[in-house]
Amino acid sequence: MRLELVIIIFLLFLNIPVYKVLFRVFFADNDDYNETVRHTFTPNIISLFRGEYWKDRLNTARLQFFIMICVGIVVLEYLVLTKIIDIFR
């Protein structure tokens, strides 16, 4: 169990440059990211009354896709790396 945790932590830190590239793909700048996070945590009913409902929905989806892709990369790398380790054991 300890080896798995070490591998996951290693992959999280090793992928920081990948996260930065993905960040620039999904968000134009830090202000765009901050607005996306604000929309994510704003209830939809409030966004509806502000006239930002669809912008809220798109920003929420964009942040969710960003997080899913970052997690998916780590999971995929973990699976490949554990298979390679099992071959050499």
Side-chain angles (χ1 to χ4, degrees):
M1 183 68 173
R2 261 176 24 153
L3 179 62
E4 290 85 6
L5 183 60
V6 170
I7 291 172
I8 291 171
I9 291 172
F10 177 72
L11 288 174
L12 287 171
F13 285 110
L14 192 64
N15 283 317
I16 289 175
V18 176
Y19 304 147
K20 288 181 179 182
V21 169
L22 285 172
F23 182 87
R24 293 296 166 213
V25 168
F26 278 91
F27 309 106
D29 54 13
N30 286 338
D31 291 334
D32 186 30
Y33 172 75
N34 291 336
E35 181 181 356
T36 301
V37 170
R38 183 181 62 86
H39 278 133
T40 299
F41 289 107
T42 301
N44 289 336
I45 191 74
I46 293 174
S47 294
L48 180 66
F49 290 129
R50 289 181 182 165
E52 299 178 341
Y53 178 76
W54 289 109
K55 189 175 183 180
D56 180 330
R57 299 290 292 190
L58 290 173
N59 280 338
T60 300
R62 186 167 47 152
L63 184 63
Q64 289 172 347
F65 282 134
F66 172 72
I67 292 170
M68 285 190 312
I69 289 173
C70 289
V71 170
I73 288 171
V74 172
V75 169
L76 183 64
E77 289 173 346
Y78 172 77
L79 293 173
V80 169
L81 198 56
T82 55
K83 293 293 182 188
I84 291 171
I85 290 172
D86 286 342
I87 291 172
F88 290 107
R89 276 191 177 177

